[in-house]
């Protein structure tokens, strides 16, 4: 059967002065997800946008809102982000005081919940939560900025998550440095979802880009 990886373009690399145009471009390029990188300048050394931005763009599109919260103690903001229209909220193990309570809070709003780890955090830190997760995100760069190179060792974490999944429902996602050159190794490791920021927005033909990326063959397709 042909491989089909969900491609989640990250608006981090979009021109925020034309966010409507970027969302419409994503919809028309043949994918149904958009990745929303929320950064607070504390957990990561960069600031992007908050729940108001997400609430304002919600009526512009029916794309699946895959929110990645790079914020300290995200439980403070879960209600606001859920009500803004996120379909899935992913939080960092390193940022939560109480990981289980934060995941329960996300689920209490009837949306999907995800958990992620930075490149230096062992994947086994996710072990106790796997039964209840809809998404597990492996950071393949140190979070904060788009356009960095993928750290190859992080693919071992994807392989581990793939091997231990069994009948659990979680999707495995990867974020950082995913492009036409790296996608084949990423696909072989067993991901279901690939976030692409700079590679997507730099691609001259976005429909072709999504097609090549979701086949998992990239440049070889
Ligand atoms: C990094 C963000 C990523 C970023 C990926 O902190 O979480 O989602 O946008 O960008 P690229 O694809 O350019 O590495
Ligand atoms: Zn992200």
């Amino acid at each position: 059967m042909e491989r089909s990886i969900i491609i989640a373009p990250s608006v981090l690399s979009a021109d925020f002065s034309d966010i409507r145009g970027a969302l419409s471009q994503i919809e028309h390029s043949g994918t149904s997800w958009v990745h929303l990188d929320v950064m607070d300048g504390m957990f990561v050394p960069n600031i992007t946008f908050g729940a108001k931005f997400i609430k304002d763009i919600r009526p512009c599109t029916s794309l699946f809102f895959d929110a990645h919260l790079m914020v300290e103690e995200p439980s403070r903001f879960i209600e606001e982000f859920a009500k803004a229209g996120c379909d899935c909220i992913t939080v960092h193990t390193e940022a939560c005081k109480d990981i289980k309570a934060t995941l329960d809070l996300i689920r209490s709003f009837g949306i999907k919940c995800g958990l992620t780890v930075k490149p230096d955090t062992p994947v086994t830190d996710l072990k106790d939560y796997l039964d209840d997760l809809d998404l597990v995100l492996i950071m393949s760069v140190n979070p904060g900025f788009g356009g960095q190179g993928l750290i190859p060792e992080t693919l071992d974490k994807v392989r581990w998550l793939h091997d231990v999944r069994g009948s659990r429902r979680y999707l495995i996602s990867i974020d950082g440095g995913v492009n036409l050159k790296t996608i084949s190794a990423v696909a072989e490791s067993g991901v279901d979802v690939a976030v692409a920021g700079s590679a997507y927005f730099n691609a001259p033909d976005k429909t072709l880009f999504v097609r090549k990326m979701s086949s998992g063959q990239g440049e070889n397709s």
Side-chain angles (χ1 to χ4, degrees):
M1 201 179 80
E2 184 157 318
R3 194 68 203 278
S4 188
I5 298 169
I6 297 171
I7 305 304
S10 166
V11 296
L12 184 60
S13 299
D15 177 352
F16 285 9
S17 70
D18 182 21
I19 197 67
R20 240 178 233 278
L23 293 167
S24 153
Q25 202 167 43
I26 294 171
E27 273 182 355
H28 290 104
S29 60
T31 186
S32 55
W33 283 40
V34 61
H35 185 81
L36 301 168
D37 284 309
V38 178
M39 304 186 187
D40 68 351
M42 294 292 287
F43 182 70
V44 288
N46 194 7
I47 300 178
T48 53
F49 48 79
K52 173 157 189 322
F53 177 82
I54 295 178
K55 183 167 170 264
D56 289 354
I57 64 171
R58 185 64 282 186
C60 304
T61 176
S62 56
L63 288 166
F64 183 90
F65 277 9
D66 171 33
H68 174 196
L69 301 195
M70 286 159 275
V71 304
E72 267 316 320
E73 199 35 47
S75 64
R76 297 176 292 155
F77 303 108
I78 299 300
E79 178 169 6
E80 218 183 315
F81 279 99
K83 290 186 175 165
C86 297
D87 294 295
C88 179
I89 296 180
T90 297
V91 293
H92 275 264
T93 56
E94 307 92 349
C96 299
K97 267 199 219 110
D98 185 336
I99 296 172
K100 187 175 182 312
T102 308
L103 297 173
D104 286 346
L105 183 61
I106 298 171
R107 264 193 304 271
S108 75
F109 293 99
I111 60 173
K112 298 198 183 304
C113 71
L115 191 59
T116 180
V117 282
K118 290 182 184 181
D120 290 343
T121 304
V123 69
T124 44
D125 282 16
L126 299 164
K127 199 164 46 69
D128 294 346
Y129 312 98
L130 294 179
D131 288 351
D132 296 319
L133 290 173
D134 298 296
L135 187 94
V136 182
L137 176 65
I138 293 302
M139 286 309 300
S140 38
V141 297
N142 282 301
F145 299 93
Q148 304 180 73
L150 180 141
I151 301 168
E153 293 75 29
T154 57
L155 296 182
D156 292 337
K157 297 181 178 181
V158 174
R159 282 182 206 105
W160 183 83
L161 287 165
H162 193 263
D163 288 350
V164 304
R165 178 157 51 186
S167 60
R168 295 185 182 98
R169 70 176 183 279
Y170 61 77
L171 294 177
I172 308 168
S173 182
I174 190 156
D175 185 3
V178 185
N179 53 43
L180 288 170
K181 286 196 168 69
T182 55
I183 190 69
S184 59
V186 162
E188 273 164 31
S189 69
V191 299
D192 305 296
V193 182
V195 176
S198 49
Y200 177 86
F201 283 97
N202 288 333
D205 182 338
K206 295 179 170 44
T207 307
L208 187 61
F209 176 84
V210 168
R211 200 181 315 137
K212 286 182 167 181
M213 292 285 283
S214 51
S215 76
Q217 289 174 41
E219 282 181 334
N220 307 320
S221 54

